[in-house]
């Protein structure tokens, strides 16, 4: 025998076996049977609990139900009388709140176990408090993937044998009451159990399922879950995918029903994929493996400030979600939670002060990260430019005042598109990074970038990341981590992705299973390379800083210029629209009054009242038009409060600035009309004046009287930098406005420069009289039109392109002349459609009374005032005008500028912009001429070829079953103009159209002694607008030492401009600075002062630049920088929470 044969390993000569070949797909399908389901009595489910008790000897429950829809806080609830309750009881109806006192008696022998927990499932959302009122964590009942019902009992309480908590449950789910027409049934108390989970068994597998309502989260469940996710995610025939499947199969084979101890063996098997001893390393697992991970995890909890639930429920959601995250931080040191929306912090500060203090400590320790810098995560299209400024101003100042720091990253993951004004405003708010995600909801055209430089209309840029995971509510699965790289669109520029994980929209945030899964994924990638590595423990800013460095300060990244248009949710531009004009006027009038008050008068700038109003307006800018009706009831209440307060503030200021003036409703018969011009533009206005029988002096000031003699119409003229308008007569050169009719179906409204014809109920002609140019193509007509409005899914959110195929033109009927000139000519019309009645008054005025602006060749506009009783369902009401004008794009106002969008459908990108957002105007122009639609409250526009439209009303039924139903009053105007858009006065006209005069009366003898001139005015380039005049924020800080004035200007036409800012001699300015929008100094300006004369500043603007100037006055701190007692008292409002009794 040869010696070498004896040294060889024995390989059997004969083989009668079948071999180890598997059918991979069957093995893979087998994994789904390991938990719950038909085999729950013999699979892993059978060993998940060691002990479980729910009888009254161990779990004592008492309950108090708050009356109606009230939301009492902890202290008030504890004063009430509680009654016995038991598991299985029902509580409701929807939106009600119920308080529970829970007393647990823990068996002595349970002290041997590592973990004892109380599981409470009310079938809805809830919050667990300590008995002294400290919020401990949130509860999410039910059977969804966001379920969290376990509360870990402190070890000392287990040793003591007893434990008590208080629970507040709210009868709504994570997403409110279902909006699909169903109503939520009163939830049952499904679980109030004291249990000892099998920690090892519970660490094997977790699959969200309605069969798992009694499962605790744990390691063995999570081991198996991660293995299954690897099998389902990683490409087949890779080493890792096959190894994960083999390992999971081995675990199932090793499982022995009824033998909890062999679970430790199964956990050892899982180490074949995760690595030996990986679990003992805990959060230190992230210190091993690749030095730089490709995917960076950050926990986040998106809470819609209102949506399928009212604001009051959001306040509860915030406390539940954030307390839960703090609880997780105690057990997972790597856990970092990013949080935005100053409003939600303020609610927490007012209603849950102990939790707020805990959050402050976590912010200081670096675990709780402040992001966003805004008051709420607001809509990115409809708020005005100044409102966006205030979002950052109020948000950043709040964060700085409470936490000693500002946010460094702007954060709007859920906005329905984003204005191109944002990059400039973000940079000016002290941030250079921006995170968003919503554009992943594309309908047709995939947005081409993940990480890029976003450049705004003025040229400013921010470093933007749009997570390739395509969600801000990732579940931290293997698939999520893998998608961060496989779906990344700029790997050639930067190969990093942000994984934003945690339950959201309705709150919740990260769950233990997510943090556990990420540890296992990291352990896997420390051993294998088929998956991208993931890291935890860093901040959003560190993620962006790495990109900035790797891309050489953005030089190697792609660039996207202009708006981020969302091809989705276009139907929200019309419903529930509001504006911020009144607050702008209040600030301007109050500032001027504090500066120019007559001698002997005192006035205190009402800073606190203004702040409260702004906060309410900013709060309502969270969602544009896609919430339930309860939200709009709340919003209407807030807007009513704002209107009431602002009206009072204006009256207070006018009573000082114009000491003997009164509102127009005064019954005095010897008064003279005056009006405050809240813009910086010269203007002509026609105003409506109530007339009494003996008001002889008032009648002498009007040019035209209504047929019934109850009203008159006066022509008011504002010139230069005068803040007051006064009545003037018609000039001799004026051609009176007039209306002609054949008595039946043909009406012509005309003045010296424009003419509009309504024939057979439609607008058949629009003529520039001076040029003799017809603006409506022959055979076409304009007017109101109805479209069928049945989106493919998202009812209140969307309008689909196919709605344009279903137009029904509406004809004006019952047309009658109501004013024949000479100052005002008008016809009254009515349309009956379905159950709705639409009354529209069409009017124009004499040449000097209705020219859009004081520009030399300005044309008059035709104004349409509508009063609508809207009773339709799934209909879309618009006004359209076909124009004899040809251009490939139309122009729409946006914040601090404009945006141009295609009128054609050359590409799918062009075709997708069939309904767009605009602010105060939409314009279609060609060389030499154009026509604009002016709007004072509607934001939806379109231009299809040569047909310009404004969207007026919709009628969705979900989630608000009564969307837009009822009475509406709104206006729009048709404004022809000479020259193309850039040569026109459209932006000025739209500004004036949205800024009505504040009309008052003064005694006749005071008519020549009204308020002084506006102390701030511009001379030079006409494309520079003075938008805002207000007092400086720092004037009202405790250590303030002086008085400052803030002036905000912007370039409106897209070109350079140079102006001189003149400052009246009665405003003693000692220094002037350029600041950012947060009013931090950027540089000092060269102030040219002459004793006894005006001071001047020379200012240069680039296209669309927003510039903020701070004027520091010579005056010392005085009464004008105080806060009046009238406006400083706490308002009894559900937004500003009163102190508990």
């Amino acid at each position: 025998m040869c010696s070498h044969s004896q040294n060889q390993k024995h390989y059997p000569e004969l083989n009668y076996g079948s071999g180890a070949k598997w059918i991979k797909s069957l093995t893979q399908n087998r994994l789904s049977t390991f938990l719950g389901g038909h085999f729950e009595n013999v699979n892993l489910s059978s060993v998940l609990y060691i002990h479980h008790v729910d009888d009254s000897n161990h779990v004592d429950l008492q309950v108090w139900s708050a009356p109606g829809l009230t939301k009492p806080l902890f202290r008030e609830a504890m004063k009430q009388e509680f009654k016995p309750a038991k598991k299985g009881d029902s509580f409701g109806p929807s939106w009600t709140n119920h308080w529970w006192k829970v007393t647990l008696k823990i068996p002595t022998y349970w002290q041997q176990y590592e973990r004892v927990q109380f599981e409470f499932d009310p079938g809805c959302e809830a919050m667990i408090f300590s008995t002294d009122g400290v919020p401990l964590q949130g509860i999410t009942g039910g059977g969804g993937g966001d379920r969290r019902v376990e509360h870990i009992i402190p070890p000392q309480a287990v040793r003591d044998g007893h434990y008590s908590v208080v629970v507040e449950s709210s009868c709504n789910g994570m997403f409110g009451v279902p909006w699909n027409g169903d109503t939520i049934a009163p939830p049952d108390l499904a679980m109030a159990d004291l249990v000892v989970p099998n920690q090892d068994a519970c660490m094997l597998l977790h699959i969200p399922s309605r069969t798992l309502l009694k499962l605790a989260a744990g390691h063995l469940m999570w081991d198996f879950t991660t293995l299954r996710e690897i099998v389902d995610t990683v490409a087949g025939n890779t080493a890792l995918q096959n190894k994960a499947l083999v390992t999971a199969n081995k675990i199932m084979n090793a499982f022995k029903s009824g033998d909890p101890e062999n679970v430790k063996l199964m956990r050892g098997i899982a180490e074949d994929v995760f690595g030996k001893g990986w679990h003992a390393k805990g959060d230190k697992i992230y210190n091993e493996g690749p030095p730089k991970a490709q995917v960076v995890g950050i926990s986040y909890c998106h809470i819609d400030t209102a949506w399928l639930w009212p604001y009051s429920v959001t306040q509860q959601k915030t406390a539940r979600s954030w307390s839960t995250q703090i609880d997780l931080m105690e057990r997972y040191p790597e856990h970092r939670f990013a949080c935005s929306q100053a409003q939600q912090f303020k609610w927490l500060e007012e209603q849950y002060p102990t939790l707020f203090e805990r959050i402050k400590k976590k912010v200081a320790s670096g675990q709780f990260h402040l992001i966003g810098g805004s008051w709420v995560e607001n809509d990115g299209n409809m708020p005005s430019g100044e409102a966006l400024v205030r979002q950052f101003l109020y948000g950043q100042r709040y964060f700085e005042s409470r936490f000693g720091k500002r946010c460094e990253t702007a954060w709007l993951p859920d906005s329905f598109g984003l204005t191109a004004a944002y990059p400039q405003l973000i940079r000016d708010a002290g941030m250079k990074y921006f995170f968003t995600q919503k554009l992943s909801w594309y309908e047709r055209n995939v947005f081409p970038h993940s990480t890029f430089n976003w450049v705004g209309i003025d040229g400013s840029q921010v470093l933007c990341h749009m997570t390739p995971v395509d969600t801000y509510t990732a579940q931290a699965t293997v698939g999520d981590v893998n998608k961060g790289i496989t779906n990344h669109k700029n790997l050639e520029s930067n190969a990093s992705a942000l994984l934003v994980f945690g339950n959201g929209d309705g709150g919740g945030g990260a769950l233990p299973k997510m943090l556990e899964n990420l540890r296992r994924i990291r352990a896997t990638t420390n051993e294998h390379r088929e998956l991208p590595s993931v890291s935890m423990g860093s901040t959003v800013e560190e993620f962006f800083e790495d990109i900035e460095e790797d891309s050489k300060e953005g030089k190697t990244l792609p660039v996207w210029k202009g708006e981020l248009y969302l091809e989705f949710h276009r139907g929200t531009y019309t419903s529930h629209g509001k504006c911020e004009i009144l607050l702008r006027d209040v600030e301007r009038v109050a500032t001027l009054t504090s500066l120019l008050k007559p001698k002997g008068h005192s006035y205190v700038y009402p800073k606190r009242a203004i702040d409260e109003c702004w906060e309410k307006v900013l709060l309502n800018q969270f969602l544009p038009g896609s919430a339930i009706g309860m939200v709009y009831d709340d919003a209407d209440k807030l807007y009513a409060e704002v209107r009431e307060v602002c009206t009072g503030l204006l009256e207070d200021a006018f009573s000082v600035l114009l000491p003997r003036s009164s509102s127009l409703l005064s019954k005095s018969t010897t008064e003279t009309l005056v009006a405050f011009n809240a813009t910086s533009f010269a203007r002509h206005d026609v105003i409506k004046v109530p007339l009494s029988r003996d008001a002889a002096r008032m009648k002498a000031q009007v040019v035209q009287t209504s047929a019934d003699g109850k009203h008159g119409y006066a022509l008011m003229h504002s010139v230069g930098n005068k803040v007051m308008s006064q009545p003037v007569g018609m000039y001799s050169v004026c051609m009176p406005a007039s209306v002609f009719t054949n008595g039946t179906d043909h009406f012509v409204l005309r003045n010296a420069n424009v003419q509009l014809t309504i024939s057979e109920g439609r607008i058949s002609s629009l003529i520039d009289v001076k040029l003799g140019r017809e603006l409506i193509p022959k055979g076409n007509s304009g007017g109101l039109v109805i479209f069928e409005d049945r989106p493919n899914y998202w009812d209140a959110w969307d309008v689909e392109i196919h709605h344009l195929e279903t137009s029904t033109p509406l004809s004006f009927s019952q047309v009658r002349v109501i004013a024949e000139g000479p100052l005002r000519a008008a016809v009254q019309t009515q349309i009956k459609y379905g159950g709705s009645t639409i009354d529209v008054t069409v009017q124009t005025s004499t040449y000097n009374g209705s020219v859009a602006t004081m520009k030399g060749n300005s044309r008059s506009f035709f104004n349409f005032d509508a009063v609508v009783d809207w009773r339709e369902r799934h209909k879309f009401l618009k006004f359209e005008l076909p124009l004899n004008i040809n251009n490939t794009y139309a122009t729409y106002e946006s914040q601090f500028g404009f945006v141009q969008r295609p009128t054609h459908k050359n590409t799918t990108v062009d075709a997708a912009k069939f309904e767009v957002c605009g602010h105060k105007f939409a314009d279609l122009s060609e060389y030499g001429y154009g026509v604009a639609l002016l709007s004072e409250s509607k934001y939806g526009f379109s231009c299809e070829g040569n047909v310009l439209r404004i969207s007026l009303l919709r009628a969705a039924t979900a989630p608000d079953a009564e969307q837009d139903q009822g009475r509406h009053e709104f206006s729009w105007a048709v404004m022809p103009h000479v020259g193309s858009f850039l040569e026109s006065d459209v932006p000025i006209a739209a500004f004036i159209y949205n800024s009505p005069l504040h009309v008052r009366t003064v005694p006749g003898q005071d008519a020549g002694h009204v308020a002084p001139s506006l102390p701030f005015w511009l001379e030079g380039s006409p494309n520079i607008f003075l938008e805002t005049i207000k007092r400086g924020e720092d004037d009202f800080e405790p250590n303030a030492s002086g008085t400052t004035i803030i002036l905000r200007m912007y370039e409106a036409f897209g070109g350079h401009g140079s102006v001189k800012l003149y400052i009246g001699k009665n405003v003693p300015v000692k220094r002037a600075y350029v600041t950012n929008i947060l009013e931090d100094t950027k540089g000092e300006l060269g102030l040219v002062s002459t004793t006894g004369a005006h001071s001047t500043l020379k200012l240069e603007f680039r296209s669309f630049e927003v510039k903020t100037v701070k004027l520091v006055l010579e005056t010392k701190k005085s009464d004008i920088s105080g806060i009046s007692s009238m406006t400083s008292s706490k308002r009894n409002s559900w937004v500003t929470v009163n102190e508990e009794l």
Side-chain angles (χ1 to χ4, degrees):
M1 180 180 293
C2 298
S3 60
H4 71 273
S5 299
Q6 298 176 353
N7 296 330
Q8 290 181 340
K9 293 183 179 180
H10 179 67
Y11 177 69
E13 182 177 354
L14 300 176
N15 186 342
Y16 297 107
S18 63
K21 177 68 176 177
W22 64 356
I23 301 177
K24 185 176 181 181
S25 60
L26 295 181
T27 303
Q28 188 169 344
N29 292 339
R30 178 196 186 198
L31 304 186
S32 64
T33 68
F34 197 41
L35 184 67
H38 181 68
F39 303 108
E40 66 179 349
N41 293 327
V42 293
N43 63 16
L44 184 61
S45 298
S46 64
V47 297
L48 287 173
Y49 289 102
I50 298 173
H51 298 290
H52 175 285
V53 294
D54 60 0
D55 60 90
S56 58
N57 293 327
H58 294 92
V59 182
D60 179 71
L61 300 174
Q62 296 185 33
V63 67
W64 171 71
S65 297
L69 300 182
T70 59
K71 194 195 70 159
L73 298 182
F74 181 89
R75 191 180 302 176
E76 180 182 350
M78 292 303 98
K79 298 175 183 178
Q80 310 304 318
E81 182 177 350
F82 284 64
K83 63 180 182 180
K86 66 182 183 301
K87 180 178 172 179
D89 288 347
S90 294
F91 297 88
S94 300
W95 307 115
T96 56
N97 294 278
H98 307 270
W99 287 83
W100 309 76
K101 290 182 178 179
V102 181
T103 303
L104 305 175
K105 184 177 180 181
I106 305 168
T108 303
Y109 68 95
W110 284 19
Q111 296 179 20
Q112 63 182 302
Y113 299 114
E114 177 185 352
R115 175 165 158 178
V116 177
Q117 63 193 36
F118 172 57
E119 297 188 351
F120 187 85
D121 185 355
C124 57
E125 291 190 280
M127 166 80 88
I128 296 180
F129 294 82
S130 68
T131 54
D132 56 355
V134 177
L136 299 178
Q137 71 170 75
I139 289 290
T140 304
D146 53 7
R147 185 174 188 269
R148 184 188 182 186
V149 299
E150 71 280 0
H151 172 64
I152 300 173
I153 298 175
Q156 184 58 52
V158 176
R159 289 190 290 270
D160 293 340
H162 55 83
Y163 184 59
S164 296
V165 292
V166 174
V167 182
E168 178 198 24
S169 64
S170 302
C171 292
N172 57 269
M174 186 68 80
F175 288 87
V177 177
W179 63 267
N180 61 358
D182 298 334
T183 57
I184 189 171
D188 296 334
L189 181 58
M191 179 179 289
D193 302 349
L194 189 61
V195 303
V196 177
N198 184 334
Q199 283 292 88
D200 284 328
C202 292
M203 293 173 186
L204 176 65
L205 174 66
H206 181 77
I207 309 170
S209 168
R210 290 187 177 273
T211 65
L212 307 183
L213 296 181
K214 295 183 179 180
L215 296 184
H219 297 290
L220 199 49
M221 289 190 299
W222 295 320
D223 286 350
F224 201 86
T225 294
T226 305
L227 293 173
R228 279 200 65 190
E229 290 178 359
I230 292 172
V231 171
D232 292 340
T233 301
V234 178
N237 294 323
T238 60
L240 176 59
Q241 197 251 12
N242 282 278
K243 189 168 189 176
L245 180 55
V246 168
T247 302
N249 193 51
K250 284 182 179 179
I251 290 174
M252 293 186 69
N253 290 336
F255 177 75
K256 296 179 181 179
S257 178
D259 183 6
E261 293 301 316
N262 92 316
V263 169
K264 294 179 180 178
L265 170 64
M266 292 187 288
R267 295 219 62 211
I269 296 172
E271 291 184 343
D272 290 348
V273 172
F274 303 142
K276 295 297 181 184
W278 76 271
H279 185 259
K281 299 171 184 176
D283 62 302
K284 302 300 188 296
I285 197 71
Y286 293 102
N287 297 337
E288 300 180 2
K292 184 176 180 179
Q294 294 171 280
V295 178
V296 176
I298 189 74
S299 170
Y300 170 63
C301 171
H302 183 65
I303 305 178
D304 287 346
T305 300
W307 180 30
L308 303 179
W309 51 87
Y311 289 129
S312 58
V313 172
T314 306
Q315 296 163 357
Q316 297 170 309
K317 285 177 175 288
T318 301
R320 295 179 196 126
S321 302
W322 296 0
S323 62
T324 295
Q325 300 312 304
I326 291 178
D327 175 56
L328 289 175
M329 290 173 188
E330 304 301 330
R331 286 179 281 142
Y332 297 91
E334 74 272 25
H335 180 36
R336 299 292 183 269
F337 180 63
C339 196
S340 66
Q341 307 196 79
Q343 173 67 85
Q344 295 181 6
F345 282 87
K346 184 176 182 181
W347 279 335
L348 203 74
E349 181 183 16
E350 293 172 333
Q351 298 185 5
Y352 305 93
T354 55
L355 176 57
F356 187 76
E357 290 302 315
R358 294 175 68 197
I359 288 174
K360 288 178 70 174
K361 292 179 181 178
K362 292 299 183 182
V363 171
S365 70
Q367 293 173 280
F368 205 106
H369 298 160
L370 307 177
I371 54 173
S374 58
W375 192 249
V376 298
E377 288 182 9
N378 53 279
D379 173 67
N381 285 312
M382 291 168 58
S384 68
E386 187 61 28
L388 295 183
V389 168
R390 301 307 173 94
Q391 286 285 351
F392 288 133
L393 176 67
Y394 282 85
Q396 289 284 50
R397 290 184 73 90
Y398 179 87
F399 288 126
E400 187 172 28
S401 66
R402 299 318 195 267
F403 303 101
K405 61 173 67 176
R406 295 175 179 173
C407 302
E408 299 177 42
T409 301
W411 187 274
L412 288 173
D414 197 28
S415 292
F416 302 166
L418 296 155
T419 171
Y422 254 129
Q424 178 178 197
L425 300 182
I426 291 170
R427 295 303 295 262
D428 223 28
M431 299 176 283
K432 59 181 176 179
Y433 305 135
F434 180 57
F435 174 83
T436 187
Q437 177 276 327
K438 197 69 174 183
L439 265 67
S440 66
W441 285 41
Y442 50 83
E443 275 190 318
R444 176 63 179 84
N445 302 288
V446 179
F447 190 79
H449 306 307
S450 296
T451 303
F452 57 98
N453 299 307
W454 181 25
V455 179
I457 52 176
D458 74 307
S460 298
Q461 68 171 354
V462 290
L463 181 55
C464 181
H465 181 68
M466 196 176 299
T467 174
V469 185
D470 284 351
T471 182
Y472 50 82
T473 59
Q475 298 298 294
T477 64
V478 173
D480 289 333
V481 173
N482 193 53
K483 190 175 182 180
I485 298 303
T486 59
N487 192 48
H488 200 297
K489 302 175 182 67
N490 303 111
L491 291 176
E492 78 287 356
S493 302
N494 180 268
S496 300
L498 193 64
L499 173 68
V500 181
F501 68 93
N503 293 314
D505 288 340
L511 295 175
K513 66 177 182 179
M514 300 175 188
L515 298 168
E516 291 284 352
N517 209 34
L518 289 174
R519 285 186 178 182
R520 286 160 176 77
I521 295 170
R522 177 60 184 234
T524 301
T525 59
N526 288 348
E527 302 289 328
H528 308 274
R529 293 294 176 265
E530 287 93 333
L531 283 172
S533 58
V534 61
S535 67
M536 288 285 290
S538 59
T539 68
V540 174
E541 284 71 35
E542 289 169 338
F543 168 79
F544 276 105
E545 287 167 0
D546 285 345
I547 295 176
E548 183 180 1
E549 181 179 354
D550 291 346
S551 65
K552 300 178 181 179
E553 291 74 45
K555 292 183 179 65
T556 63
L557 295 177
V559 171
W560 182 270
K561 293 191 175 184
E563 68 177 331
L564 295 178
Y565 179 81
L566 177 65
E567 296 180 6
F568 222 46
H569 296 355
R570 306 172 185 88
T572 59
Y573 303 143
T574 298
S575 307
H576 307 293
K578 302 291 181 182
C579 70
E580 307 86 22
I581 300 298
L582 188 57
L583 267 169
R584 185 203 67 193
D585 291 357
V586 166
E587 289 182 325
R588 180 173 289 221
V589 175
T591 300
L592 296 180
T593 304
S594 69
L595 292 175
L596 307 176
K597 60 181 182 291
K599 290 183 179 180
H601 289 77
S602 62
Y603 180 76
V604 179
Y605 187 85
K607 182 65 166 65
R608 182 171 297 174
I610 290 173
D611 286 346
E612 288 180 355
C613 288
W614 264 117
E615 288 180 9
K616 292 174 183 179
V617 169
L618 299 177
L619 167 63
N620 281 339
Q621 291 172 344
F622 177 78
L623 279 175
S626 56
I628 59 173
M630 293 174 70
V631 172
Y632 298 110
D633 292 340
D634 289 343
D636 288 342
K637 177 182 177 182
L638 289 182
Y639 280 123
E641 291 178 4
V642 170
R643 286 191 294 269
E644 179 184 359
V645 171
C646 286
T647 300
L649 294 178
L650 284 171
E651 191 63 34
D652 293 341
F654 283 136
S655 67
V656 175
L657 191 63
L658 305 170
R660 301 182 64 186
S661 71
S662 57
S663 66
L664 187 58
L665 299 179
S666 170
K667 295 182 179 180
S668 173
T669 61
T670 61
E671 294 181 331
T672 298
L673 288 170
V674 295
F676 185 90
N677 176 15
T679 77
S680 299
F681 301 112
R683 58 194 288 183
H684 279 307
D685 292 85
V686 175
I687 63 169
K688 186 177 182 179
V689 181
L691 298 176
S692 59
R693 283 181 292 180
D694 53 354
R697 181 175 178 84
M698 192 70 73
K699 290 179 179 178
Q701 299 171 72
V702 303
V703 176
Q704 181 178 334
T705 304
S706 62
D708 58 9
K710 294 181 179 180
H711 296 91
Y713 296 91
L715 178 60
M716 308 297 288
H717 181 50
S718 306
V719 295
N721 65 321
K722 299 291 185 183
V723 297
M724 302 307 297
S725 299
Q726 293 185 304
V728 296
M730 287 183 62
Y731 299 98
S732 59
V733 297
C734 293
M735 176 180 175
S738 60
V739 57
F740 304 95
T741 178
N742 64 3
T744 55
D745 61 357
H746 192 82
F747 297 82
V748 179
L749 292 161
R750 178 186 175 95
N751 65 21
N753 56 30
V754 290
Q755 175 180 298
L756 181 143
T757 301
I758 299 175
S759 181
E760 298 180 351
R762 300 287 293 173
I763 300 172
S764 59
S765 174
L766 177 62
I767 296 176
D768 185 308
V769 174
K770 288 192 171 183
L771 298 179
R773 175 168 179 169
E774 173 62 66
L775 297 167
I776 294 182
K778 185 176 181 180
N780 287 229
S781 67
L784 294 175
V785 60
I786 283 276
F787 296 88
E788 298 296 323
D789 187 15
R790 300 169 190 170
N792 294 343
Y793 180 67
W794 297 95
D795 195 357
W797 292 259
D798 285 348
V799 58
E800 307 290 358
I801 193 169
H802 50 68
H803 87 281
L804 296 171
E805 303 169 16
T806 63
S807 64
T808 301
L810 303 181
S811 297
F812 295 122
S813 62
Q814 302 181 33
V815 184
R816 62 188 180 92
V817 177
I818 60 171
E820 300 184 61
L823 183 59
R824 173 179 178 264
V827 296
Q828 175 72 52
T829 74
Q830 187 175 87
I831 296 173
K832 293 280 190 178
Y833 179 85
S836 301
T837 302
I838 306 169
D839 292 305
V840 179
T841 300
V842 187
Q843 62 181 334
T844 190
S845 303
T846 184
Y847 172 75
N848 290 88
S850 69
V851 289
T853 70
M854 299 298 290
K855 186 179 178 181
N857 62 350
S858 183
R859 297 304 197 246
S860 306
F861 57 74
F862 291 93
N863 194 63
F864 294 74
D865 293 320
V867 179
V868 183
D869 182 20
W870 187 242
R871 302 296 173 186
E872 303 311 304
R873 303 290 182 183
H874 301 294
K875 303 290 186 181
F876 200 168
L877 178 66
K878 301 187 182 187
F879 174 85
E880 67 178 19
L881 204 61
L883 297 169
N884 190 17
I885 292 172
N886 180 40
N887 205 329
T888 56
Y889 62 83
T891 303
Y892 307 85
E893 191 195 37
S894 63
Q895 298 86 344
F896 298 125
F898 62 81
V899 59
Q900 294 180 321
R901 302 182 177 108
T903 60
H904 53 78
K905 301 175 184 177
N906 285 357
T907 68
T908 54
V909 173
D910 299 325
K913 296 180 180 179
F914 58 86
E915 180 79 8
V916 298
C917 183
H919 279 217
K920 296 189 285 291
F921 65 79
D923 182 88
L924 180 62
S925 297
E926 62 186 17
Y927 174 77
Y929 212 91
V931 176
L933 295 179
L934 309 184
S935 170
E936 48 82 50
S937 63
K938 302 299 179 181
Y939 298 88
F941 294 93
S942 64
C943 190
E944 187 181 16
N946 67 328
V947 181
L948 192 60
R949 297 188 180 103
I950 180 171
S951 301
L952 302 176
L953 290 171
R954 294 188 69 219
T957 57
D960 181 0
E962 301 298 319
Q963 184 197 55
D964 282 356
Q965 298 297 300
R967 180 182 173 88
H968 299 264
E969 296 183 19
F970 49 84
S971 301
W972 70 95
V974 175
M975 178 191 163
H977 58 83
V978 176
S980 65
F981 170 76
L982 292 178
E983 300 171 294
S984 76
D985 53 351
V986 170
I988 298 173
F991 199 110
I992 293 172
Y993 188 72
N994 279 266
S995 303
L997 297 173
H998 296 276
V999 183
R1000 302 184 66 77
T1001 60
V1002 296
Q1005 63 271 24
D1006 289 357
H1009 305 284
V1010 293
S1013 300
L1014 181 69
F1016 315 108
W1017 70 96
L1018 303 176
E1019 291 186 4
S1021 302
N1023 52 327
I1024 310 302
F1025 291 5
L1026 176 55
E1027 166 80 12
T1028 299
I1029 301 174
K1030 64 182 285 289
R1031 290 287 303 278
E1033 295 295 313
D1034 291 337
D1035 290 8
F1036 306 93
E1037 295 298 323
N1039 59 349
S1041 58
T1043 301
T1044 60
I1045 306 299
I1046 298 297
L1047 308 176
R1048 188 146 27 249
M1049 294 150 278
Y1050 70 98
E1051 194 286 314
F1053 281 80
H1056 282 69
S1058 177
V1059 294
K1060 278 189 176 181
L1061 170 63
Y1062 283 83
I1063 305 163
K1065 59 185 178 181
N1066 50 354
V1067 180
V1069 179
K1070 61 179 179 180
R1071 288 188 303 276
Y1073 300 95
V1074 174
T1075 75
N1076 60 20
I1077 60 175
L1078 306 182
E1079 301 178 17
D1080 302 322
T1081 297
K1082 294 166 69 174
E1084 188 166 2
L1085 292 167
L1087 180 67
V1088 179
S1089 302
T1090 305
T1091 303
H1094 305 307
S1095 300
T1096 60
L1097 293 169
K1098 186 174 181 180
L1099 302 173
E1100 301 288 339
F1101 289 78
R1102 67 178 182 273
S1103 62
F1104 299 123
E1105 181 181 6
V1106 178
K1107 193 182 292 290
T1108 304
V1109 172
K1110 178 192 290 186
L1111 304 178
V1112 181
L1113 306 189
E1114 293 280 2
T1115 54
K1116 297 180 179 178
K1117 186 177 181 182
S1118 63
D1119 63 335
I1120 64 174
S1121 63
I1123 300 177
S1124 69
S1125 59
M1126 179 188 70
T1127 60
S1128 63
S1129 60
K1130 218 167 198 180
R1131 293 179 56 78
N1132 183 15
S1133 165
W1134 57 267
V1135 173
T1136 302
V1137 180
N1138 291 330
E1139 294 181 2
E1140 294 185 61
L1141 301 176

